[in-house]
Amino acid sequence: MSNHSSPQGSSLCRLNFRRGLTRALGAMAMACAVPAAADVPASAPAPQTAPADAPKLLVAIAVDQFSADLFSQYRQHYTDGLARLLTGAVFPSAYQAHAATETCPGHSTLLTGVHPARNGIVANNWYDLTQSRDDKRVYCAEDERDPNSTSKYPVVSAGHLKVPTLGERMKARWPQSRNVAVSAKDRAVMMMGGHSIDEAYWWQARGFSTLGGRSLADAALEENTQILASLRSGGPAFTAPAWCAPRTRAVDTGPLSREQAATGPVTIGTGRFPLDAAYGEEAAGDAFRVSPRVDAATLDLATRLVEAMKLGKGSAPDMLSVSLSATDYIGHAYGTEGLEMCIQMRELDRSLGKFFARLDALGIDYAVVLTADHGGLDAPERLDQQALPSATRADKGLTAGALSKAVAATIGYTGTAPLVYGESAFGDYYVSRALPDDLRAKAITRLVALLRASPQVEMAFTNAEIAAIPMPSGNPQDWTIPQRVRASYDPARTGDVYSVLRRAVVPIPEVTAGYTATHGSPWDYDRRVPLLFWRRGVAGLEQPQPVDTVDIAPSLAALIGLAVPAGEFDGRCLDIDGGPGNSCVAKAR
């Protein structure tokens, strides 16, 4: 489940806003420690020259929660940026092969070329029961060793990523290469950029922020000034194209949680994202984030950085990573099949078109890859109306709190501390280490039995059972559920027990504001994503056979002639030249 670790959906230390000067309007300065760099070597030989015909700028775009199903459903309506990419190499069935289809694990595969089992990013959040932090929760993109870091407001870091990204490998080979990453989510920036990022920006409250100890570049200050003006002036609702009409239908997803029930039911399916200045800056900032506007701002900031840093104009290839988060925020808040997502698909296409046009105007030789970190499932209340009556919400009895009480009642535990820790009604569960070994083993056995007895649970595994599964290889479409679970297993970070819900069981027992639908399962609606490559002048192709998102890094490395030692990628190079040429033929120097 793509939980956000702060109210704004982006994890950070507290911010100070500097106001008064026009130049500083909307600027933000971090008040947190500089994250410690992880000891992850980007092993590479001495600096060498890139091939003369290599693109000067690699642009890696992740559209958060952009499933292959959404891509297929709206493909006929793309006329701008996505339409351009459709003239390149199109792989409509790429896989995030692992089971934990969340934001952090998904982004971690894209530019490392390895699965979560190898890069260590097994979830958005996991639990370390040995630490002194009361909630024991660890965020995937934090440095929890820093005393200023908390599970809700972490000090942002890529320290948990165990392998280098492509941008880091490029910098190790060509020191003059720049590695830049931008997103509305800090975890997307860290997972795509890695430990060594020249410029890193993500959304926080009312604009873009950066790593502790760094100042915002002029490009970010300018972007924040523009955003803040929008928050203060407001903006009209988006106009829906005629082809969105069939998606315009109100669906009641039921009341909010018991504590919020007085506010009434959550209705989805008719939203158009007005931005009301009367909300106040904070609320307007959240509305801005959960709308197509945040993608447009992310791409605008990326373009400003390209211009200011002269990316693609240096003596070595540069790396620009852009993760677009609006599809995910909208998918969670409104589901994937309503008017809201239809508008987002049109606006995503438009924003990408403007972005590519601006890159064209700069005269840069660039290559693009676009994919997603995971897919998503619609709200069960709408799925029930659309030929999937088995769709339902997970039972509250599957949450860690409820299971903790159930296990305690059967093993004779009378303590007050939780026995079971976990994020949601599925995935990783962690059993308290304060128990004596024999009682702890009994608790794990009982927890597994309770999960397997649930009619909503497909499978449940102990940590040892997952460890015994051989790491899968070959076609990810054909991997079994246990193999998918193994691909996102880390012995120290995966729970004592791992649970897989049945198909179309949404792991949100009660609707809350901003969360009506989600993802995170090993089913193909969450695993299967589109994968598109484009470079001007390269012949296009469409290959419907399944590929893996870990194939992206080796494919881009080959395109720029970057030699990487055998065995360092889990993926393979994809020949993205649909003509007689072969983009995978070694050109490294």
Side-chain angles (χ1 to χ4, degrees):
M1 183 175 177
S2 185
N3 293 324
H4 307 306
S5 48
S6 77
Q8 289 76 35
S10 183
S11 307
L12 265 185
C13 304
R14 70 181 68 86
L15 297 172
N16 294 325
F17 286 79
R18 301 196 303 272
R19 302 189 182 186
L21 297 177
T22 302
R23 165 181 158 77
L25 184 64
M28 302 174 185
M30 293 300 305
C32 55
V34 179
D39 296 325
V40 179
S43 55
Q48 299 180 23
T49 303
D53 59 348
K56 302 295 287 183
L57 176 64
L58 296 180
V59 181
I61 302 172
V63 179
D64 203 317
Q65 205 182 135
F66 189 36
S67 67
D69 297 327
L70 272 181
F71 171 71
S72 174
Q73 182 176 346
Y74 287 100
R75 181 173 177 171
Q76 63 181 312
H77 298 298
Y78 299 140
T79 59
D80 207 330
L82 286 164
R84 176 190 295 211
L85 300 186
L86 287 171
T87 66
V90 178
F91 299 89
S93 292
Y95 281 82
Q96 289 282 2
H98 51 273
T101 46
E102 298 181 321
T103 300
C104 221
H107 280 90
S108 78
T109 70
L110 303 181
L111 295 179
T112 65
V114 300
H115 296 115
R118 193 166 160 192
N119 66 42
I121 308 301
V122 301
N124 284 348
N125 302 282
W126 56 83
Y127 288 75
D128 179 359
L129 303 188
T130 67
Q131 66 172 327
S132 59
R133 185 182 288 178
D134 288 343
D135 63 4
K136 311 299 184 184
R137 189 172 184 248
V138 177
Y139 179 51
C140 61
E142 75 160 309
D143 180 7
E144 70 276 13
R145 299 168 298 177
D146 191 303
N148 292 311
S149 191
T150 69
S151 63
K152 187 175 183 181
Y153 297 107
V155 171
V156 176
S157 168
H160 291 304
L161 188 62
K162 295 181 176 181
V163 295
T165 63
L166 183 61
E168 292 180 286
R169 292 182 185 276
M170 291 165 63
K171 289 180 70 65
R173 174 60 63 84
W174 306 299
Q176 63 272 42
S177 179
R178 277 80 55 81
N179 182 25
V180 176
V182 184
S183 176
K185 294 185 180 182
D186 52 18
R187 55 187 176 269
V189 170
M190 293 296 101
M191 295 303 110
M192 294 183 78
H195 315 83
S196 178
I197 311 178
D198 294 280
E199 293 286 352
Y201 291 100
W202 56 87
W203 180 266
Q204 180 68 22
R206 284 158 276 185
F208 288 94
S209 297
T210 191
L211 288 165
R214 297 190 183 188
S215 298
L216 296 187
D218 286 347
L221 292 172
E222 292 162 2
E223 187 65 35
N224 285 348
T225 298
Q226 183 171 307
I227 290 168
L228 191 55
S230 296
L231 300 184
R232 290 174 173 174
S233 64
F238 284 83
T239 301
W243 41 267
C244 286
R247 307 290 169 196
T248 310
R249 182 170 53 85
V251 175
D252 183 356
T253 63
L256 294 169
S257 63
R258 189 171 302 166
E259 295 77 11
Q260 300 169 307
T263 63
V266 174
T267 301
I268 60 175
T270 60
R272 295 173 182 262
F273 312 108
L275 186 64
D276 190 342
Y279 292 159
E281 286 180 19
E282 184 174 348
D286 202 48
F288 188 102
R289 175 180 62 83
V290 190
S291 81
R293 294 178 179 88
V294 79
D295 282 353
T298 302
L299 288 165
D300 191 51
L301 174 55
T303 310
R304 291 177 189 269
L305 290 167
V306 170
E307 294 173 339
M309 299 176 69
K310 295 182 171 55
L311 298 183
K313 298 287 190 177
S315 58
D318 295 319
M319 182 81 234
L320 172 64
S321 304
V322 182
S323 179
L324 302 175
S325 306
T327 304
D328 186 70
Y329 290 139
I330 291 167
H332 284 304
Y334 304 102
T336 60
E337 290 298 315
L339 174 64
E340 299 90 351
M341 188 59 74
C342 191
I343 290 173
Q344 165 60 9
M345 288 293 99
R346 195 270 298 271
E347 295 303 319
L348 171 68
D349 185 37
R350 284 181 167 181
S351 293
L352 286 169
K354 293 176 182 176
F355 174 62
F356 296 145
R358 290 173 71 180
L359 292 184
D360 293 342
L362 293 172
I364 301 169
D365 179 6
Y366 65 97
V368 180
V369 60
L370 182 145
T371 189
D373 54 344
H374 53 72
L377 183 65
D378 196 25
E381 293 79 11
R382 187 158 45 208
L383 290 171
D384 179 63
Q385 298 175 12
Q386 297 183 345
L388 192 60
S390 61
T392 187
R393 296 195 178 277
D395 191 319
K396 286 187 288 186
L398 296 175
T399 61
L403 288 168
S404 186
K405 293 177 181 178
V407 170
T410 59
I411 68 170
Y413 175 76
T414 58
T416 57
L419 275 185
V420 180
Y421 297 80
E423 281 293 284
S424 187
F426 77 122
D428 292 294
Y429 296 94
Y430 302 77
V431 176
S432 173
R433 296 181 180 272
L435 295 173
D437 289 347
D438 59 339
L439 194 59
R440 187 167 183 274
K442 188 176 180 180
I444 291 173
T445 299
R446 182 56 183 156
L447 176 57
V448 171
L450 286 170
L451 290 168
R452 289 176 177 169
S454 170
Q456 292 188 334
V457 173
E458 180 76 14
M459 292 182 179
F461 309 85
T462 64
N463 188 293
E465 287 171 338
I466 303 172
I469 301 168
M471 185 65 191
S473 60
N475 190 334
Q477 177 178 269
D478 300 331
W479 290 4
T480 64
I481 296 296
Q483 287 176 319
R484 299 172 194 186
V485 172
R486 178 62 180 84
S488 49
Y489 167 79
D490 181 283
R493 297 174 182 175
T494 295
D496 296 298
V497 175
Y498 190 92
S499 172
V500 174
L501 294 177
R502 293 192 186 278
R503 189 187 301 274
V505 177
V506 177
I508 302 179
E510 292 182 315
V511 175
T512 58
Y515 277 93
T516 65
T518 193
H519 49 82
S521 80
W523 303 109
D524 280 1
Y525 51 73
D526 283 341
R527 295 172 72 231
R528 199 167 67 92
V529 298
L531 176 56
L532 313 173
F533 293 89
W534 180 89
R535 185 185 182 191
R536 188 176 300 281
V538 176
L541 66 95
E542 176 132 0
Q543 178 48 262
Q545 296 306 306
V547 294
D548 197 320
T549 56
V550 296
D551 298 335
I552 295 171
S555 301
L556 294 179
L559 198 62
I560 58 173
L562 178 65
V564 176
E568 295 206 11
F569 290 139
D570 288 342
R572 66 182 178 91
C573 180
L574 303 174
D575 177 11
I576 63 171
D577 186 342
N582 187 338
S583 63
C584 292
V585 172
K587 300 186 292 185
R589 298 180 183 178

